Amino acid sequence: MPVPHIRRWKPLAMTAAAVLVGITVPAAADAATTAPTPTAAAAGAYDDTYYKDALGKTGPELKSALHTIISDQTKLSYDQVWDALKTTDADPDNGSNVILLYTGRSQSKDSNGGDPDQWNREHVWAKSHGDFGTATGPGTDIHHLRPADVSVNSTRGNKDFDNGGSEVGEAPGNFTDADSFEPRDAVKGDVARMILYMAVRYDGEDGFADLEPNDKVDNGSAPAIGRLSVLKQWSDEDPPDTFEKNRNQVIFDKFQHNRNPFIDHPEWVGAIW
């Protein structure tokens, strides 16, 4: 069995600038214009408008209210996801690059494709968990699609998330074993909040499976991903940072026009689960 490792939580949230200038952004889903990236919204900024029907609720009532709110979205094709990620995950220190999820590497936006050291589109909620593939809907929802190194993406595969395993040589700080994957400390909370967003957004409507987190690993093709107790811990210990908040705002303003509520209100994770 792999030797357990000691986890080290990030000491500070990422100090990336919240405003990015001169990034090429699709104005409709397929046309590109140059516009500044909006500033990440302050916590509670949308409580009187976007989230007003969810306030004061807990448990299933809160989950249902949030589902209704975030299901009002513009959907992208899988091809349009390429250009969207070049904006949502742009390196705040180098507008020509994107930040890769698991490695944290800054890499040219144009270095995307299928070669081992290029970047591709990682489905954080593995698309085989619910068998939605790359169909427009969960398969193209950029709230859980992130740029990732091709070979590291392959190492993660469709594994559930949990602590433990052996360190991934190409991505120090990430760990994996036969049935689970542990991302680096700086994005543990990001991963948790993306998974929980998917569980609220996709509940069996629109012809797709009802996605739910559980406290297991090795879920296979079931529409479930674990381990929920670990994901909740990750969300608590790695709160949303500037990069994650800004990404949520860009998706809302420029692409899907819906939000990940667990970035705006991390406390809603415990209120539902």
Side-chain angles (χ1 to χ4, degrees):
M1 293 182 64
V3 177
H5 68 279
I6 299 173
R7 292 177 290 128
R8 296 180 176 85
W9 295 105
K10 64 181 181 184
L12 293 173
M14 186 177 182
T15 56
V19 179
L20 310 177
V21 180
I23 294 174
T24 300
V25 181
D30 56 355
T33 60
T34 299
T37 299
T39 302
Y46 289 89
D47 285 1
D48 293 335
T49 53
Y50 190 73
Y51 292 123
K52 61 183 176 62
D53 292 334
L55 298 182
K57 296 180 171 67
T58 60
E61 288 187 350
L62 175 58
K63 185 181 179 186
S64 177
L66 291 176
H67 168 75
T68 299
I69 292 167
I70 67 178
S71 293
D72 184 7
Q73 72 181 93
T74 298
K75 297 176 182 177
L76 306 181
S77 72
Y78 199 45
D79 283 342
Q80 290 167 339
V81 167
W82 283 120
D83 285 335
L85 295 184
K86 292 176 183 180
T87 300
T88 59
D89 290 76
D91 182 345
D93 296 321
N94 182 349
S96 297
N97 288 7
V98 291
I99 300 293
L100 307 191
L101 177 62
Y102 300 128
T103 61
R105 186 170 73 240
S106 178
Q107 186 156 322
S108 170
K109 292 178 178 179
D110 297 328
S111 181
N112 60 303
D115 292 340
D117 291 323
Q118 291 184 307
W119 65 269
N120 62 3
R121 298 159 292 186
E122 155 73 329
H123 289 80
V124 176
W125 185 294
K127 55 185 181 289
S128 63
H129 289 236
D131 195 29
F132 53 76
T134 59
T136 297
T140 66
D141 194 317
I142 55 177
H143 276 296
H144 85 116
L145 279 156
R146 300 289 293 267
D149 177 273
V150 169
S151 54
V152 176
N153 191 353
S154 179
T155 297
R156 186 264 156 145
N158 68 348
K159 296 173 183 174
D160 294 82
F161 293 104
D162 197 2
N163 291 319
S166 301
E167 190 165 36
V168 178
E170 193 176 353
N174 297 263
F175 297 81
T176 192
D177 56 23
D179 55 19
S180 70
F181 189 88
E182 177 185 348
R184 60 193 176 99
D185 290 348
V187 296
K188 279 182 164 70
D190 308 50
V191 165
R193 288 180 284 273
M194 286 186 277
I195 291 294
L196 300 177
Y197 161 88
M198 291 292 284
V200 171
R201 170 61 185 88
Y202 299 99
D203 68 350
E205 298 176 352
D206 303 327
F208 298 111
D210 182 3
L211 306 183
E212 287 294 337
N214 62 18
D215 215 34
K216 298 164 43 180
V217 294
D218 203 16
N219 278 292
S221 61
I225 279 185
R227 185 178 302 269
L228 177 58
S229 58
V230 172
L231 294 170
K232 291 174 62 178
Q233 176 189 359
W234 290 354
S235 184
D236 285 342
E237 295 183 306
D238 174 36
D241 60 17
T242 301
F243 187 91
E244 188 183 2
K245 291 176 183 178
N246 192 69
R247 188 177 195 275
N248 194 32
Q249 192 67 37
V250 172
I251 293 172
F252 180 70
D253 286 339
K254 297 185 177 298
F255 295 103
Q256 294 186 177
H257 310 298
N258 70 339
R259 305 183 68 82
N260 182 333
F262 304 113
I263 297 173
D264 294 323
H265 284 280
E267 72 278 8
W268 281 346
V269 172
I272 294 175
W273 290 283

